[in-house]
């Protein structure tokens, strides 16, 4: 018979600057608005952070706006649990993926080869592709580390 000994709850979450935070223990269930969240948990301090992900976009040194705003959005596929979008990118143009049209949550990394997944690093280096083209960008947040795949 399953037991609830050592359960994990957090009935004291506080919403500050768009992120729910709190110290968790044997409290009641986590209570937040419905949505997609990126959750981090510190096993030493028992601190939990829940960042709502309302949208993911691609931003970079594109000629039309040079880091001014997202040039493409990634759509969430609930069946695959992956965010996917397409973007026309020139060789050498640097870019990143960010959440909620802001920089508090962003992913970069080092592309090793087209079609090969690479780690999506929090506040990581800018990404670039080796040749001009229209690319499909996939971001998998369901794995740790997060993985980005770029294909043509």
């Amino acid at each position: 018979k399953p037991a609830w000994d050592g359960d994990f709850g957090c009935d004291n979450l506080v919403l500050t600057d768009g992120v729910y935070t709190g110290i968790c223990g044997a409290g009641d269930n986590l209570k937040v608005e419905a949505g997609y969240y990126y959750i981090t948990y510190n096993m030493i301090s028992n601190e939990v952070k829940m960042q709502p992900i309302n949208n993911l976009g691609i931003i970079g040194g594109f000629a039309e706006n040079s880091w001014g705003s997202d040039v493409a959005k990634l759509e969430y596929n609930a069946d695959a649990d992956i965010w996917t979008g397409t973007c026309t990118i020139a060789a050498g143009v640097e870019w990143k993926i960010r959440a909620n049209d802001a920089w508090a949550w962003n992913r970069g990394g080092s592309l090793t080869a087209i079609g090969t997944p690479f780690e999506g690093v929090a506040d990581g280096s800018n990404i670039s592709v080796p040749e001009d083209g229209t690319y499909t960008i996939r971001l998998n947040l369901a794995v740790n580390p997060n993985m980005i795949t770029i294909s043509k």
Side-chain angles (χ1 to χ4, degrees):
K1 175 179 168 182
W4 283 95
D5 297 342
D7 68 333
F8 178 82
C10 193
D11 53 7
N12 64 346
L13 290 176
V14 176
L15 182 61
T16 306
D17 295 328
V19 178
Y20 290 95
T21 59
I23 304 298
C24 297
D28 200 0
N29 294 335
L30 299 166
K31 294 180 179 126
V32 296
E33 294 180 27
Y36 190 99
Y37 289 86
Y38 190 82
I39 301 170
T40 55
Y41 172 66
N42 183 316
M43 294 176 67
I44 296 174
S45 68
N46 285 333
E47 180 182 38
V48 68
K49 290 184 181 179
M50 300 180 69
Q51 168 73 53
I53 304 291
N54 301 317
N55 65 70
L56 289 174
I58 298 170
I59 187 169
F62 300 96
E64 60 268 23
N65 70 357
S66 191
W67 297 95
S69 61
D70 296 349
V71 297
K73 294 292 185 186
L74 303 182
E75 299 293 326
Y76 180 63
N77 179 324
D79 292 334
D81 201 14
I82 291 181
W83 294 80
T84 304
T86 59
C87 188
T88 300
I89 306 171
V93 169
E94 295 185 340
W95 55 275
K96 284 186 163 188
I97 299 170
R98 69 178 184 169
N100 306 330
D101 303 309
W103 287 104
W105 189 101
N106 69 83
R107 293 294 180 267
S110 298
L111 172 67
T112 54
I114 299 299
T116 301
F118 62 96
E119 184 175 346
V121 179
D123 300 317
S125 59
N126 296 339
I127 303 166
S128 64
V129 293
E131 61 184 54
D132 296 357
T134 299
Y135 291 89
T136 298
I137 295 106
R138 291 178 182 83
L139 175 61
N140 186 344
L141 297 177
V143 296
N144 188 16
N146 304 152
M147 298 302 286
I148 299 170
T149 305
I150 301 169
S151 55
K152 198 167 182 191

